[in-house]
């Protein structure tokens, strides 16, 4: 069977139920909904039992195969749900999945759930066996430009209508949090007019600001070079009462990591080696690499001095507003420098 998008899944299930499904993606709501759709189709086909397995350290893969080969006391068909949180079954798991796919049982439906799988995982033998035997459902995240359309479709499914301004306002409020968007749409169903019309005023009055403000989100946006979003997140952290020391800790730690990597690169080390030495995970390498293209070693050293100055301001040892200086530090990490290096040095005195 071919790869399926989430929007193709329902029609494919109505035509044929595969013995194995692999649902992969990093958007929890969409992954959950795809799994729900598969389970519902399986229940209609007589798979009334459901057995869940979570792959963790020491997981017994023989247990999965034994369960697949054992008949229920009532001879009911069952769904075997296998959740692999790191997306890597390992050697034993790969062999077990290959063995299962060689002779899938008509009494079982195997549903495998993983995070987004990279190219290496999709070239593995176990993945190719699963894809050949069943179906691979790849869940793509909803990008910011696509979010208004997604919200509009969801509102229509809920029997609601809204103009573009109301949809854009809702999209801005939830800031990519699909679960929050779904919850707010449910709330709006109770507040809409009898004809299902949702106005901008209704959204403004009813929808809570569900944007996720946290220090790690702040760091990621700054590394990406998205100064506007980084500052918005910083303001959100301040509004939520976050301690300035926590924000400074996160910014200073990231700047030290970048400085360490910049020094290693100057010494002729490869990006992979520099990242490994600095403790940077593979998933974060693109973000860090993006920042290092903008920020050179002298700038990073200056940012470390500025971070030290912010620390003194927080402790009352400098006559400066800590949050104003955190904003400047965040802008600098995002690649925005409002002052010349000479003037910046003077500002630290």
């Amino acid at each position: 069977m071919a790869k399926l998008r989430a929007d193709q899944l329902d029609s494919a299930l109505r035509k044929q139920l595969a013995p194995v499904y692999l649902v992969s993606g990093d958007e929890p709501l969409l992954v959950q909904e795809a799994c729900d759709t598969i389970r519902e189709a399986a229940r209609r086909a007589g798979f009334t039992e459901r057995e869940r397995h979570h792959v963790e350290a020491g997981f017994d893969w023989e247990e999965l195969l034994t369960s697949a080969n054992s008949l229920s006391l009532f001879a009911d068909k069952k769904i075997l749900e296998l959740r692999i949180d790191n997306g890597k079954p390992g050697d034993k798991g790969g062999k077990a999945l290959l063995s299962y796919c060689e002779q899938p049982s008509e009494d079982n439906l195997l549903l495998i759930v993983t995070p987004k799988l990279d190219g290496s995982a999709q070239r593995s033998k176990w993945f190719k066996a699963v894809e050949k035997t069943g179906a691979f459902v790849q869940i793509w995240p909803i990008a910011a430009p696509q979010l208004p359309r997604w919200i509009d479709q969801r509102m229509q499914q809920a029997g609601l209508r809204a103009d573009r301004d109301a949809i854009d306002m809702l999209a801005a409020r939830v800031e990519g949090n699909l679960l929050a968007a779904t919850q707010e749409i449910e709330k709006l169903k109770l507040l809409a007019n009898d004809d299902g019309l949702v106005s901008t005023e209704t959204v403004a009055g009813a929808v809570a600001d569900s944007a996720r403000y946290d220090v790690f989100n702040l760091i990621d946006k700054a590394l990406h070079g998205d100064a506007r979003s980084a500052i918005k997140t910083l303001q959100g952290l301040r509004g939520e009462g976050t301690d300035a020391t926590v924000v400074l800790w996160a910014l200073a730690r990231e700047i030290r990591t970048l400085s360490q990597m910049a020094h290693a690169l100057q010494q002729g080390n490869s990006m992979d080696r520099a990242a490994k030495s600095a403790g940077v995970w593979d998933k974060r390498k693109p973000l860090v690499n993006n920042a290092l293209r903008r920020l050179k070693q002298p700038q990073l050293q200056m940012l470390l001095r500025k971070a030290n100055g912010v620390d003194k301001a927080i402790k009352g040892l400098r006559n400066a507003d800590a949050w104003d200086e955190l904003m400047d530090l965040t802008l600098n990490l995002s690649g925005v420098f409002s002052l010349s290096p000479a003037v910046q040095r003077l500002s630290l005195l």
Side-chain angles (χ1 to χ4, degrees):
M1 296 184 69
K3 295 181 181 179
L4 297 173
R5 299 191 310 269
D7 59 354
Q8 298 173 318
L9 181 57
D10 189 58
S11 60
L13 286 166
R14 294 182 185 280
K15 293 178 182 177
Q16 181 183 359
L17 190 64
V20 182
Y21 286 92
L22 169 57
V23 179
S24 171
D26 291 332
E27 182 50 67
L29 176 68
L30 301 183
V31 168
Q32 182 64 38
E33 290 181 342
C35 291
D36 288 343
T37 301
I38 294 169
R39 293 190 203 101
E40 180 58 33
R43 280 192 288 268
R44 290 197 301 265
F47 292 83
T48 55
E49 287 193 35
R50 180 185 174 194
E51 190 174 293
R52 284 176 287 186
H53 299 267
H54 288 268
V55 177
E56 299 172 341
F59 178 74
D60 185 0
W61 285 93
E62 286 299 322
E63 178 184 336
L64 174 69
L65 295 177
T66 300
S67 177
N69 293 325
S70 63
L71 291 175
S72 166
L73 180 63
F74 302 102
D76 287 334
K77 295 181 178 181
K78 62 185 174 184
I79 302 170
L80 293 172
E81 189 165 324
L82 186 66
R83 291 188 172 265
I84 310 176
D85 291 339
N86 64 0
K88 299 176 181 179
D91 291 338
K92 290 183 179 179
K95 291 177 181 178
L97 292 172
L98 280 169
S99 175
Y100 183 92
C101 290
E102 286 175 359
Q103 290 182 317
S105 171
E106 294 182 357
D107 294 322
N108 299 319
L109 182 145
L110 179 60
L111 172 58
I112 307 169
V113 186
T114 72
K116 179 183 176 183
L117 297 176
D118 59 21
S120 176
Q122 294 188 38
R123 290 190 294 271
S124 64
K125 292 181 179 179
W126 72 264
F127 177 88
K128 291 180 179 179
V130 167
E131 189 177 19
K132 181 179 179 181
T133 306
F136 172 46
V137 185
Q138 190 162 14
I139 304 297
W140 296 100
I142 305 297
Q146 301 168 330
L147 185 57
R149 181 181 177 186
W150 184 86
I151 288 175
D152 186 26
Q153 292 174 341
R154 287 289 172 132
M155 294 186 79
Q156 290 182 36
Q157 291 171 9
L160 300 176
R161 295 181 297 112
D163 59 28
R164 184 57 188 263
D165 288 342
I167 291 171
D168 286 345
M169 179 179 290
L170 179 54
R173 290 287 182 90
V174 300
E175 201 184 58
N177 187 337
L178 301 189
L179 180 58
T182 302
Q183 292 171 339
E184 298 297 350
I185 289 171
E186 289 299 311
K187 186 192 301 181
L188 289 169
K189 285 170 66 175
L190 303 175
L191 301 172
N193 298 331
D194 292 339
D195 60 358
L197 181 63
V198 176
S199 66
T200 306
E201 291 74 17
T202 303
V203 174
V207 177
D209 192 345
S210 302
R212 293 164 289 184
Y213 296 119
D214 60 73
V215 289
F216 300 108
N217 202 11
L218 167 68
I219 297 301
D220 286 354
K221 289 177 178 178
L223 291 178
H224 192 264
D226 189 350
R228 178 173 295 183
S229 294
I231 293 303
K232 181 180 177 182
T233 303
L234 179 69
Q235 292 169 338
L237 286 165
R238 185 178 187 178
E240 290 179 350
T242 305
D243 193 321
T245 305
V246 174
V247 180
L248 176 61
W249 167 81
L251 287 167
R253 185 186 67 165
E254 204 65 36
I255 294 167
R256 282 194 295 270
T257 297
L258 291 172
S259 180
Q260 179 182 339
M261 288 187 62
H263 178 72
L265 291 172
Q266 284 182 347
Q267 299 301 311
N269 290 288
S270 66
M271 172 60 71
D272 287 344
R273 185 171 181 180
K276 184 176 182 180
S277 177
V280 176
W281 299 341
D282 288 346
K283 190 175 182 180
R284 292 185 57 78
K285 279 189 206 173
L287 274 175
V288 171
N289 190 31
N290 186 51
L292 287 172
R293 283 198 293 266
R294 297 191 313 270
L295 301 168
K296 304 306 177 186
Q297 183 70 344
Q299 291 174 308
L300 291 167
Q301 289 299 313
M302 177 64 67
L303 293 189
L304 285 173
R305 289 187 60 197
K306 292 184 76 169
N308 184 52
V310 178
D311 182 56
K312 291 180 179 179
I314 291 174
K315 295 175 179 176
L317 302 177
R318 281 183 66 234
N319 185 21
D321 184 284
W323 282 100
D324 285 347
E325 299 218 336
L326 283 171
M327 180 181 295
D328 192 40
L329 192 60
T330 300
L331 285 170
N332 293 166
L333 186 57
S334 303
V336 178
F337 290 84
S338 56
L339 301 175
S340 67
V343 174
Q344 288 196 54
R345 284 193 292 271
L346 288 173
S347 70
L348 296 175
L349 300 177

